[in-house]
Amino acid sequence: MSKRQARPTPLNQVDREAFRDMCRVFAEREIGPRWKAADEEKRFPRAFYEAAARAGLIGITATEEIGGAALGAYEEAIAMEELAKVNPNLAVSVLVQNVAGSILYEHGHAQHRDLARRNIAGECLVAITITEPEAGNDIQNVSTCATRDGDHWVLDGIKSFITLGGDADILVTLAQTDPAAGRHGMRFFAVDRRTPGIETSQIDTYVNRPAPTFRVMFNQARVPADCLLEAGFAEIMAGFNRERIMVAARWLGHMQTALAWGLDYAATRRQFGRPIGANQSIAFALAQAHLDVEAARRLTYHAAERWDSGVPLEDVILDVSTAKLHATQAVVRVTQTVLHTAGGWGLTTELPAMRWALDALVAPVTVGSVEIQQRAIARQLGLPVD
Ligand SMILES: Cc1cc2nc3c(=O)[nH]c(=O)nc-3n(C[C@H](O)[C@H](O)[C@H](O)COP(=O)(O)OP(=O)(O)OC[C@H]3O[C@@H](n4cnc5c(N)ncnc54)[C@H](O)[C@@H]3O)c2cc1C
């Protein structure tokens, strides 16, 4: 297991609240006016990435030396929660930058750190390029191969569901360099998306539409040998546990917005001469949704605090997977409750309830599905699951 260091400069509570306020104002100003058009057009507004970089929201945990904010997972979760309150999908574009960027600066060579510096400055959009049509949760089975040829690697294969894959400048790509070595042959490459032999095509989804997903086809794509990142597969994959905390924070933000709206609707919508929220069936369902939100808040920030404390990875996995499992299931329950509360009007485009419920459906699926988190938790609890 990888060694991890405690975060050097924790913010105190007052500074954290100021940081949260800054994120909230940023989200209202930069996401509020953009997300609906991006959703309808299914197109990522690159100007949003540049604005996030200017606000210091790219590279939140990166060192100051490369332009980062040198904060912790706790603050990164605050940012994700506040951004996702306005829209979870433009929020995820920031999440992807922070995760992919940290792969570059934590596990790359000098030129990769330079890419990370440009990523943090808003000049280099990055995508995480792992999933394949036949290798979803089973990522150890990726078949995209990288073959050494002199001063180059030649990449062949197809990736799927790559968030921002068609927009990114750099694709942080997992490929097999030695099929006989199994997972030990799997390595990450930082690949220029404009390399001849790389093509992308958008996958039409019901979710994540402002930060769309793409197929990425590598057909004899020759990339310089120094695109290969330094660290091995296991070391880099360990860092994805931080992403899982951010995924939990993303859905924590989303479910709060949905619940706040649902409470307001239940208090103001009148049927049979009284607010629908006067019916216990509606009121109790919303009370249960409140429980889901509060549990998500506590589990997410507990996991972030544990991550920042620098305890060994094996001691934080249970907290991370528990937080992610709960938030990704809870957001579906909460948004479904709100959708039902809105009745027939909830099914129209005149109200936001259906959009929120649709967006939530991706939560149990990505970055290690519900079942994969359940398996991780069961193992941590000592059960002999395979
Ligand atoms: C909107 C969106 C954005 C994405 N962004 C990215 C990205 O940026 N980069 C990237 O690389 N990938 C990305 N992905 C891919 C995502 O991580 C995969 O969809 C995910 O890994 C699931 O893979 P799959 O869809 O092939 O499902 P499968 O792995 O085929 O799983 C299907 C079902 O079987 C279950 N299952 C599978 N194995 C087991 C098991 N051992 N035990 C119990 N149940 C199991 C799963 O939980 C799931 O319910 C994205 C996907 C979506 C939908």
Side-chain angles (χ1 to χ4, degrees):
M1 287 287 179
S2 60
K3 280 198 188 139
R4 301 180 48 254
Q5 289 186 335
R7 179 171 50 108
T9 53
L11 290 185
N12 63 36
Q13 201 49 40
V14 174
D15 290 343
R16 275 183 177 160
E17 285 315 307
F19 181 72
R20 184 181 286 282
D21 286 346
M22 185 278 281
C23 294
R24 185 183 304 130
V25 170
F26 170 83
E28 284 164 3
R29 191 184 65 226
E30 301 292 345
I31 299 183
R34 278 196 178 102
W35 77 264
K36 277 191 187 134
D39 194 277
E40 276 164 29
E41 292 165 16
K42 303 177 189 173
R43 188 144 10 119
F44 178 64
R46 187 162 174 133
F48 169 68
Y49 157 59
E50 292 160 359
R54 280 196 299 277
L57 295 175
I58 311 292
I60 292 174
T61 61
T63 60
E64 287 166 330
E65 177 210 345
I66 61 163
L71 297 173
Y74 198 103
E75 287 76 22
E76 196 180 1
I78 289 175
M80 200 43 53
E81 180 189 348
E82 291 303 322
L83 268 51
K85 279 181 185 169
V86 182
N87 181 257
N89 305 316
L90 287 181
V92 85
S93 72
V94 171
L95 187 158
V96 168
Q97 299 316 298
N98 278 298
V99 173
S102 58
I103 294 175
L104 292 172
Y105 65 78
E106 284 175 15
H107 303 294
H109 296 286
Q111 70 274 19
H112 301 127
R113 280 191 287 282
D114 201 45
L115 285 177
R117 198 187 317 269
R118 291 181 48 221
N119 172 251
I120 290 167
E123 298 162 2
C124 178
L125 193 71
V126 185
I128 301 167
T129 312
I130 297 177
T131 302
E132 299 183 356
E134 301 303 326
N137 285 287
D138 187 12
I139 60 169
Q140 298 194 28
N141 247 335
V142 301
S143 62
T144 294
C145 60
T147 313
R148 189 68 188 249
D149 182 16
D151 289 342
H152 288 78
W153 289 93
V154 182
L155 272 68
D156 277 293
I158 299 178
K159 298 288 182 182
S160 50
F161 287 125
I162 307 307
T163 300
L164 304 176
D167 302 275
D169 302 299
I170 293 291
L171 304 167
V172 175
T173 305
L174 181 63
Q176 179 56 267
T177 61
D178 179 6
R183 69 201 297 263
H184 300 293
M186 288 166 61
R187 300 294 298 270
F188 279 89
F189 296 79
V191 176
D192 186 334
R193 181 181 58 83
R194 295 169 185 88
T195 305
I198 298 179
E199 285 180 22
T200 63
S201 69
Q202 190 162 331
I203 300 175
D204 197 17
T205 56
Y206 293 105
V207 298
N208 271 41
R209 302 192 316 177
T213 59
F214 289 80
R215 273 188 199 84
V216 179
M217 282 78 70
F218 297 90
N219 183 11
Q220 292 277 296
R222 288 175 70 80
V223 301
D226 64 6
C227 289
L228 179 67
L229 267 71
E230 190 174 4
F233 173 71
E235 201 180 331
I236 293 182
M237 291 313 295
F240 280 93
N241 282 290
R242 198 187 94 224
E243 180 178 9
R244 295 195 174 103
I245 301 171
M246 301 316 139
V247 169
R250 174 192 184 197
W251 297 119
L252 167 63
H254 187 55
M255 66 178 108
Q256 281 175 86
T257 295
L259 177 57
W261 185 91
L263 287 167
D264 187 55
Y265 192 85
T268 52
R269 168 75 176 168
R270 296 180 74 84
Q271 290 293 287
F272 298 97
R274 58 186 186 156
I276 57 168
N279 298 293
Q280 286 191 351
S281 55
I282 298 278
F284 289 5
L286 290 167
Q288 200 67 29
H290 169 76
L291 171 63
D292 267 338
V293 169
E294 289 308 312
R297 190 192 316 285
R298 283 158 177 74
L299 289 168
T300 301
Y301 286 103
H302 176 67
E305 245 165 8
R306 296 268 295 150
W307 182 269
D308 286 338
S309 72
V311 294
L313 183 65
E314 57 269 32
D315 293 341
V316 78
I317 285 177
L318 182 60
D319 299 307
V320 169
S321 288
T322 306
K324 180 173 187 285
L325 175 63
H326 173 71
T328 56
Q329 291 183 312
V331 72
V332 175
R333 286 193 293 264
V334 171
T335 53
Q336 288 294 329
T337 295
V338 170
L339 179 63
H340 187 63
T341 300
W345 290 106
L347 305 176
T348 69
T349 54
E350 294 178 24
L351 297 184
M354 182 58 125
R355 181 70 264 151
W356 289 331
L358 276 176
D359 280 334
L361 291 179
V362 74
V365 170
T366 54
V367 199
S369 67
V370 156
E371 288 79 5
I372 299 303
Q373 301 316 311
Q374 288 167 333
R375 186 177 64 171
I377 291 168
R379 280 181 181 159
Q380 291 289 316
L381 296 177
L383 293 170
V385 285
D386 60 10

